[in-house]
Structures are given as structure tokens and as C-alpha cells.
């Protein structure tokens, strides 16, 4: 059991600027209740942070979209499984494919599929711009490679290690959702990097 993919929408003041540092691979080290030998098990979860954008920010040409409908799979009632409510959307220029069946109506799935596509296209353009500006520096804040483990949550030692900062934090702090201290450190680090870059350009 479990979840393969989870999409969460977070709304608030300056959410993206605060949450962007969470993008990357998060590693969990723990001893499961079913582990009789006391061995530590390791698992990972990849987090992608994308700003929500509107039609004005990202323009999508309808001619560049191939859209098909399909029947939703899994639980959801007779109507969902018999009627083609799912949306299979392909953006031809990039090859991005969005398959959406979360909602119970075809219209809502179509709206959600286009919203996800706009977000992905915006992220691609944003990463391209950041790469050009920052010269693909590995240490650039908020553009960590997906394969890089940015943080380890160790249940056995009750410790959370952020590998980019090289610091340890109490595990309970993260489990309670208190990210402010680490976010503040990243903001300070980003400001220092910008000041250093500005000083070197003079």
C-alpha cells in the first residue's frame, strides 16, 4: 500500500519563495515496527515545488495540444468508471504528458490537466532562466538536482540533517511543520550569495 504520487496545493503569502528550498530528494531512515532485527530501513521521496501560474503568465497554443478522453480507473462509482471522465493531454512541443482522473467530471479534469501543464511549463522556463543567470552553479539555492539528497530524517537518533546547510535539527521540529528556522537560514544564505555575486561583478 501507500501513495506513488501526491499533489498538494499550498496557498499563502510568499509561499513559493519559502517552500522552494524543499525541492529535491528527502531521505528517511527508521526502524519499522515490523523489523525484528532492529535494522534501519532507508526510503526516499522526491519533492518538486512549482509556483501556480495563470493563463497570462504561460500561453498555450491549442494547436500544440493533443487531447484525448479515457475512462477513469479505480474506485469512484459507476458513473466515473463507465463515462470517459479522465483526460490524457500531450503538449507536442515539449512532449509533456498529463493524465488526470482525480475529479469526477471531464470538465474539472480538463481544467486541472491544463493547470498542471501551465505549472510544469513555467517551472521549465524558470529553471532555464535560473541556469542562465547562475551559470548552472550546483550550490544555487532552490535549484537542487532531483537526484541530490537534500535532507535526511533519522528516527533512531531523533535528528534531521540538512545536507546543504551541513546542520542538524530536532526531528520533532519538522514533524510539527515548523520550517521557519531552516527557511530563514536559506534566505540568509541566498542573500549572501547574491551579495557575493554582486561584489565579484564590480
Amino acid at each position: 500500500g501507500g501513495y506513488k504520487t501526491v499533489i498538494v496545493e499550498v496557498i499563502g503569502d510568499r509561499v513559493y519563495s519559502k517552500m522552494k528550498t524543499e525541492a529535491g530528494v528527502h531521505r528517511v531512515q527508521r526502524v519499522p515496527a515490523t523489523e525484528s532485527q532492529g535494522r534501519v530501513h532507508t526510503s526516499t521521496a522526491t519533492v518538486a515545488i512549482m509556483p501556480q501560474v495563470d493563463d497570462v503568465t504561460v500561453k498555450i497554443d491549442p494547436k500544440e495540444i493533443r487531447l484525448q478522453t479515457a475512462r477513469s480507473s479505480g474506485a469512484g462509482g459507476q458513473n466515473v468508471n463507465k463515462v470517459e471522465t479522465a483526460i490524457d493531454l500531450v503538449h507536442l512541443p515539449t512532449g509533456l504528458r498529463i493524465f488526470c482522473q482525480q475529479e469526477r467530471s471531464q470538465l474539472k479534469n480538463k481544467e486541472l490537466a491544463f493547470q498542471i501543464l501551465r505549472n510544469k511549463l513555467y517551472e521549465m522556463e524558470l529553471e532555464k532562466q535560473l541556469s542562465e543567470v547562475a551559470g548552472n552553479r550546483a550550490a544555487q539555492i532552490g535549484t537542487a538536482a532531483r537526484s541530490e539528497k537534500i535532507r535526511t530524517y533519522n528516527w533512531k537518533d531523533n535528528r534531521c540533517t540538512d545536507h546543504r546547510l551541513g546542520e542538524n535539527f530536532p526531528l520533532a521540529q519538522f514533524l510539527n511543520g515548523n520550517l521557519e528556522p531552516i527557511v530563514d537560514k536559506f534566505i540568509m544564505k541566498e542573500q549572501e550569495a547574491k551579495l557575493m555575486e554582486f561584489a565579484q561583478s564590480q
Side-chain angles (χ1 to χ4, degrees):
Y3 296 95
K4 180 181 178 181
T5 303
V6 176
I7 299 177
V8 178
E9 181 180 11
V10 181
I11 300 175
D13 182 36
R14 299 175 60 230
V15 170
Y16 178 71
S17 63
K18 294 179 180 179
M19 295 297 295
K20 64 182 181 180
T21 57
E22 295 302 298
V25 178
H26 295 245
R27 181 171 60 179
V28 174
Q29 294 180 324
R30 64 187 182 90
V31 179
T34 55
E35 174 57 63
S36 60
Q37 302 297 322
R39 290 172 295 188
V40 176
H41 289 221
T42 299
S43 57
T44 61
T46 302
V47 176
I49 306 296
M50 297 183 295
Q52 186 167 347
V53 296
D54 52 30
D55 295 316
V56 178
T57 307
V58 177
K59 291 294 184 181
I60 300 176
D61 188 345
K63 297 178 182 178
E64 298 177 342
I65 297 294
R66 184 173 73 235
L67 191 148
Q68 296 177 316
T69 58
R71 293 184 182 181
S72 296
S73 60
Q78 294 182 351
N79 178 65
V80 173
N81 295 324
K82 290 184 178 181
V83 181
E84 293 190 344
T85 57
I87 293 294
D88 191 358
L89 183 153
V90 177
H91 185 243
L92 299 177
T94 60
L96 285 173
R97 182 186 180 190
I98 311 295
F99 186 82
C100 199
Q101 63 174 13
Q102 288 95 316
E103 302 294 340
R104 295 178 63 86
S105 73
Q106 184 183 114
L107 177 61
K108 289 185 178 180
N109 278 324
K110 182 178 179 181
E111 292 175 349
L112 182 57
F114 271 96
Q115 181 63 60
I116 294 174
L117 176 61
R118 282 192 293 269
N119 292 348
K120 287 184 177 292
L121 291 175
Y122 181 85
E123 183 189 34
M124 289 173 63
E125 181 61 27
L126 184 63
E127 288 184 353
K128 178 182 176 182
Q129 292 177 5
L130 286 175
S131 296
E132 293 173 354
V133 173
N136 264 333
R137 292 182 304 169
Q140 179 69 19
I141 301 297
T143 59
R146 295 290 186 265
S147 60
E148 180 185 5
K149 294 178 179 64
I150 65 169
R151 195 174 297 141
T152 296
Y153 306 87
N154 190 306
W155 256 254
K156 187 176 181 180
D157 297 332
N158 195 30
R159 180 185 70 236
C160 179
T161 302
D162 192 285
H163 303 292
R164 297 161 299 177
L165 293 174
E167 295 185 29
N168 295 324
F169 300 87
L171 181 62
Q173 174 180 320
F174 287 85
L175 297 181
N176 293 331
N178 183 17
L179 297 177
E180 288 297 328
I182 197 169
V183 168
D184 291 340
K185 286 181 178 291
F186 272 110
I187 291 176
M188 185 178 299
K189 186 175 181 179
E190 185 175 25
Q191 291 174 344
E192 290 176 353
K194 288 181 177 179
L195 286 173
M196 182 70 70
E197 185 175 339
F198 176 77
Q200 292 176 350
S201 65
Q202 297 303 306

